[in-house]
Amino acid sequence: ASHGCEHFPPSTNAIMDKVPPEEPTTMTRGTFLACCERGDEEGAREHVRAGWMDAFCDSPLLTSAPVGTALHFKHSDVVRCLVTETPRLFSNEQFLGALLGQASARGMLDLVCWLVADMGVSPTEQPKPSYYRDMPLYRAVASDHVHVVQWIVEHHREAAGAAVDAGAGTDAGADAGAGADAGACADAGADATAATAA
């Protein structure tokens, strides 16, 4: 049966609980996730280099489990490590866009800055196919992370207008909060413009 990991060598499609023969038995999926949970960047890197990221490839839902764990506990350094150590898994535009949305929703400004400045991910475009509420800028506004909204607006002021337009274009009955959120984007943009002009 195909698990969506045909691009990996056959040896990495082993049963998830099996330990790579060349590695010590002290490494397991559990120890890998524990490193991600406690923010142990070096431990996570060692697991990746020992082939443990591939052990999660048995299911598309599990492939990003280490990244999701590090993200949940707001360990930006571990997330960056996992993404840069396994570009074949995590360098695609859809994943990076979703990751930026999650980082924005959690208020992880350092990760947002890295994804936008170093990885070239747009904070004002929604993943496709999707809805504008998946847009990183919208998610930061909806989660009340003003510091993330201000950074996005200050560094991408021209694109911020598109986010306001997206919010203003919704049906009035569809979401009563959409207009308020779009207004919050506009207010943040006005504040940033006034601060820059001063």
Side-chain angles (χ1 to χ4, degrees):
S2 171
H3 298 293
C5 298
E6 294 78 8
H7 57 286
F8 293 122
S11 61
T12 62
N13 280 326
I15 296 174
M16 292 167 60
D17 288 328
K18 286 188 177 176
V19 177
E22 68 278 5
E23 297 302 325
T25 56
T26 54
M27 286 189 180
T28 66
R29 288 182 300 135
T31 59
F32 188 10
L33 293 178
C35 288
C36 297
E37 181 177 336
R38 68 176 175 263
D40 180 0
E41 181 182 353
E42 192 52 43
R45 182 177 287 108
E46 288 174 6
H47 279 77
V48 170
R49 291 181 178 174
W52 278 100
M53 186 64 85
D54 295 337
F56 284 90
C57 191
D58 189 61
S59 163
L61 294 175
L62 291 176
T63 301
S64 60
V67 174
T69 299
L71 192 63
H72 176 76
F73 289 97
K74 296 188 175 183
H75 297 307
S76 299
D77 291 342
V78 176
V79 174
R80 279 195 298 267
C81 168
L82 296 174
V83 170
T84 55
E85 288 284 334
T86 53
R88 71 189 187 285
L89 289 177
F90 301 125
S91 62
N92 71 74
E93 205 173 292
Q94 185 178 4
F95 173 82
L96 292 175
L99 181 58
L100 179 58
Q102 290 291 324
S104 300
R106 286 173 167 78
M108 299 168 70
L109 183 57
D110 55 341
L111 190 56
V112 169
C113 294
W114 177 72
L115 287 164
V116 172
D118 294 351
M119 302 299 285
V121 185
S122 171
T124 55
E125 290 180 15
Q126 63 267 36
K128 296 181 175 63
S130 189
Y131 188 52
Y132 78 91
R133 288 185 186 143
D134 293 326
M135 188 187 312
L137 177 58
Y138 184 96
R139 297 194 71 177
V141 170
S143 302
D144 201 27
H145 293 301
V146 177
H147 62 298
V148 175
V149 174
Q150 286 176 334
W151 187 88
I152 291 173
V153 170
E154 287 170 6
H155 290 82
H156 297 273
R157 193 170 295 129
E158 72 288 345
V164 175
D165 292 342
T170 59
D171 292 334
D175 184 354
D181 289 337
C185 284
D187 292 342
D191 293 343
T193 303
T196 305

